[in-house]
Amino acid sequence: MQEAIKVEHLSKSYGNLRVIDNLNLSVKSGTVYGLLGANGAGKSTTIECVLGIKKADIGTVSILEHDPQKDRTHLFQKVGVQFQESSHQAEIKVGELCEETACLYKNPTDWQKLCREFGIGDKLKSEVKNLSGGQRQKLFIVLALIPNPELVFLDELTTGLDTKARREVWKMLSKLKDEGLTIFLTSHFMDEVEVLCDEICILKKGKAVFYGTVDQAKEQSGCTNFEEAYLYFSGEEAEAE
Amino acid sequence: MNSFKTLLKNELKLNFRNMNMVIFAIIIPVIVLIVLGFIYGSKPAAEGMEYTFLEQSFGALCTISICAGGLMGLPLVVSEYRERKILKRFRATPVSPTKLLAVEFTIYVLYSIASMLILFLAAVAFWKVRLYGNLLAFFGSWFLTLISTLSIGMMVGGIAKNTKTASMIACILYFPMLIFSGATLPFEVMPGIMQKIVSVFPLTQGIQLMKATFLGLSVSSEVVTPILIICVITILCFGISIRYFKWE
C-alpha cells in the first residue's frame, strides 16, 4: 500500500523547549490516522511541521511524494487542511468563504452540496462570526474538503460539536474514506478515535510513546477500555492523581 | 485568472462592508473638494494666473485617496490578515503570495480611480475646472504616484510583525505625507526650507508632477530625477514585499 505521509526523525524546538522529539510517522493511503496526546503534547506543531508551515529543525517529511516546503502549490491542490483555530475575515459570509476557498483549486467540489450534507446549507448567507461553535466547526471541515483532496488534515475535528453532530461528521468521514480519502486527524475524544482511526500515534511531551492500532493499544496497556489505554500511554492518569 | 477575479470580487465586497475606505478614499476627497470649491470657486490661483486655485490643487486632491489606500488601507488589511491567521489558512492552499497581494493592491487602485473620476466630474460640473495639459501625461504622473505609494504600503503590510506595528508605521507615513507633501497644505505656501525637507517624500514629487501635467506647465529637465527616484522606490518596495513576505 502507498504511503500518503512519511515523516522521519522530525524534531522541533522553540528556544530550549523541545516540542517534537524524533518523531516518525507513516500514514498509508486510504486510511485514517489519529495523532493523540494531551494539550501541549505537540500535535498542532507536528501538523504544522508536516505541512511545511513551520520549519522543522531536523527530519524529512514527504506528503503524497511532495516536499511540502518546496512544492507547496502542487501539494495543496491535493491536500485539505482544517486548523484548530478557525480564522476568517471579520465580516465574511459562509457562502463567500466557501467560494473564495473553492476558487483557489483546479477541481473543487460542489461546496453548496457539501454544506447541505453537513447541515449548514441554509447558512450560506449568514456571517461566519454569527454561526454557533458547532456550525463553524462544520464549516471549517467543509473548507478542508472543498479541494476534493486526496488527503485531509483535521486538527481537533469535532471540538465544539454536540453528540449528534459528531456522529454525523463521523459518518461523512467514513463515507469519504470509503471513497479513498486519507485522513490525518487529532482528537481528544477516544470514542471518536476508536470509531474512525485505523492507526494511531500517542504523543507525550513531543515524543511518540505508542504506534499501532486501537486494539494493540488496549492489549499492550492491559486495559479493556481504550480511553484508559490512552491515559496509560499519555501519562495523564498519573499526573491527574 | 479566475481565482483572481473571485478573490477580488469577495475582497472588494468585504472592503465595502467595512466602510472605512469608502469614507477615507471616496467621501473625504469630495468633501475637501467642496470646501475648496466654496472658498475659492473659480478664482485664479494667484493674481494674474490663467488657471484657478482648484485646477492647481486637483492633482493633490487625487492623492488623498491614494494616501488613504496605500498608507492606511493596504498595510492594515495585509497585517490584519496575518494577525487573524487568515494568511496561515491561505498558506495551506495553492494560492501564491503574489496573487494575494495583487488582489489587495488592485482594490486600492480601483478606489483611487473611482475617487479621481468622481473628483474630476464634480470639479468640471460645478467649478468648470479644465485640464490644460496633456491627458496622458497627467495619467502617467497620477499612475506613478499611485503605484509608488501603494508599493510603500504593500511593503509595510508585507513585513510588519503585527497590526500594531503596521498601524504605527502607517500613521508615521500617512499623516506627514498627507499634510506636508502638498495633498492638503499647498506646497507653495510652505517656507523654502520646509519645501526642501518635504521634497524627499515620493508623494511630494508625484503631486508636483501631477500639477505640472494638469496645468500644462513646461516640465523642466529636472523632472527626470524625481521620476527615477519614484521608480526606484516602487521597484524596491515591491521586491521587498514579495521577497520578505510572511504568512505568519
Side-chain angles (χ1 to χ4, degrees):
Chain A
M1 205 184 271
Q2 265 193 322
E3 273 181 321
I5 306 173
K6 178 130 189 86
V7 175
E8 283 173 317
H9 310 296
L10 187 75
S11 290
K12 170 89 185 162
S13 301
Y14 294 132
N16 285 328
L17 185 70
R18 189 153 256 216
V19 193
I20 310 172
D21 195 355
N22 197 21
L23 185 68
N24 296 288
L25 296 171
S26 162
V27 179
K28 297 184 197 82
S29 273
T31 64
V32 180
Y33 196 93
L35 186 65
L36 314 181
N39 290 324
K43 301 188 297 295
S44 294
T45 307
T46 302
I47 287 192
E48 287 176 357
C49 285
V50 169
L51 292 174
I53 289 171
K54 291 215 168 89
K55 208 172 170 353
D57 301 335
I58 33 172
T60 56
V61 176
S62 149
I63 311 179
L64 304 172
E65 289 165 359
H66 292 280
D67 177 338
Q69 291 274 355
K70 288 188 192 128
D71 215 359
R72 194 187 138 246
T73 41
H74 289 110
L75 175 68
F76 286 111
Q77 284 290 351
K78 301 186 278 189
V79 176
V81 182
Q82 174 233 327
F83 289 110
Q84 198 174 320
E85 72 281 275
S86 54
S87 49
H88 55 85
Q89 291 90 327
E91 283 160 330
I92 201 163
K93 292 176 182 168
V94 173
E96 290 166 353
L97 187 54
C98 289
E99 189 189 21
E100 183 166 292
T101 306
C103 80
L104 306 174
Y105 299 97
K106 282 193 195 114
N107 302 304
T109 190
D110 177 354
W111 52 267
Q112 280 158 320
K113 184 167 157 258
L114 207 56
C115 284
R116 281 196 298 275
E117 285 174 343
F118 273 87
I120 50 171
D122 56 339
K123 296 287 173 196
L124 299 184
K125 292 211 158 32
S126 312
E127 289 195 2
V128 176
K129 66 175 179 210
N130 293 335
L131 295 181
S132 72
Q135 288 163 340
R136 196 175 309 146
Q137 189 71 10
K138 283 180 179 173
L139 170 63
F140 278 86
I141 297 176
V142 166
L143 291 183
L145 295 173
I146 280 179
N148 241 331
E150 290 174 33
L151 165 66
V152 68
F153 287 81
L154 303 169
D155 198 356
E156 301 205 357
L157 75 160
T158 59
T159 301
L161 293 182
D162 61 32
T163 313
K164 181 167 162 276
R166 282 174 61 208
R167 294 196 175 230
E168 284 163 12
V169 170
W170 297 354
K171 224 165 96 187
M172 286 292 303
L173 293 179
S174 301
K175 195 186 114 204
L176 290 166
K177 181 193 156 190
D178 292 340
E179 290 166 9
L181 178 69
T182 312
I183 302 172
F184 187 96
L185 59 85
T186 75
S187 175
H188 288 300
F189 299 102
M190 294 310 137
D191 51 348
E192 180 168 289
V193 173
E194 231 175 329
V195 171
L196 288 174
C197 293
D198 299 299
E199 277 185 277
I200 55 167
C201 166
I202 300 175
L203 285 182
K204 181 183 177 183
K205 292 181 183 154
K207 276 200 174 96
V209 286
F210 174 81
Y211 291 107
T213 64
V214 167
D215 286 334
Q216 286 166 348
K218 286 197 253 187
E219 207 175 293
Q220 283 182 29
S221 63
C223 304
T224 48
N225 178 316
F226 176 58
E227 192 159 279
E228 275 162 30
Y230 162 75
L231 290 173
Y232 170 84
F233 283 109
S234 66
E236 284 186 68
E237 192 182 31
E239 279 164 26
E241 276 168 12
Chain B
M1 210 49 215
N2 236 338
S3 62
F4 183 85
K5 269 198 297 201
T6 311
L7 283 170
L8 182 63
K9 186 190 78 184
N10 270 336
E11 291 298 314
L12 203 56
K13 266 201 264 181
L14 290 172
N15 211 305
F16 271 132
R17 220 170 276 163
N18 177 275
M19 278 308 281
N20 270 346
M21 273 303 127
V22 180
I23 295 170
F24 286 107
I26 305 287
I27 298 176
I28 298 271
V30 172
I31 292 177
V32 177
L33 172 74
I34 293 172
V35 171
L36 289 181
F38 275 116
I39 298 175
Y40 295 99
S42 301
K43 275 188 218 151
E47 207 69 39
M49 292 283 194
E50 58 178 302
Y51 49 83
T52 68
F53 185 85
L54 268 191
E55 284 158 350
Q56 178 184 279
S57 306
F58 186 78
L61 281 175
C62 291
T63 61
I64 299 177
S65 73
I66 294 179
C67 275
L71 302 178
M72 283 302 221
L74 187 56
L76 292 188
V77 82
V78 176
S79 63
E80 186 203 329
Y81 278 14
R82 186 178 302 111
E83 188 155 307
R84 292 179 72 106
K85 308 220 179 231
I86 294 162
L87 291 184
K88 182 180 169 188
R89 187 163 54 74
F90 278 122
R91 170 70 176 79
T93 70
V95 77
S96 68
T98 319
K99 188 179 270 178
L100 286 176
L101 290 176
V103 167
E104 298 302 334
F105 185 85
T106 309
I107 288 175
Y108 296 99
V109 171
L110 292 176
Y111 272 115
S112 300
I113 293 175
S115 171
M116 182 181 61
L117 285 178
I118 293 169
L119 287 174
F120 190 70
L121 292 178
V124 168
F126 297 108
W127 294 284
K128 307 217 164 34
V129 162
R130 68 188 187 95
L131 177 83
Y132 294 84
N134 181 314
L135 186 67
L136 271 181
F138 175 71
F139 272 139
S141 43
W142 170 82
F143 185 72
L144 213 56
T145 314
L146 174 69
I147 57 164
S148 61
T149 311
L150 287 185
S151 73
I152 295 174
M154 207 155 90
M155 182 186 71
V156 173
I159 62 175
K161 266 205 181 72
N162 50 41
T163 315
K164 222 174 129 188
T165 331
S167 90
M168 207 177 71
I169 300 174
C171 283
I172 291 174
L173 291 174
Y174 178 67
F175 290 107
M177 279 214 208
L178 192 67
I179 296 168
F180 297 119
S181 62
T184 39
L185 202 63
F187 186 75
E188 289 69 24
V189 305
M190 293 178 200
I193 177 114
M194 200 162 146
Q195 287 189 346
K196 283 210 178 92
I197 296 172
V198 300
S199 290
V200 299
F201 297 142
L203 195 63
T204 315
Q205 307 291 354
I207 288 175
Q208 293 306 317
L209 273 179
M210 282 165 77
K211 192 166 76 189
T213 50
F214 192 83
L215 299 173
L217 306 178
S218 60
V219 180
S220 65
S221 58
E222 280 170 39
V223 89
V224 180
T225 325
I227 291 183
L228 270 177
I229 292 175
I230 294 179
C231 289
V232 169
I233 288 179
T234 307
I235 293 167
L236 212 65
C237 291
F238 274 129
I240 291 174
S241 62
I242 288 166
R243 174 70 183 76
Y244 295 100
F245 181 79
K246 287 188 293 200
W247 295 97
E248 268 197 281

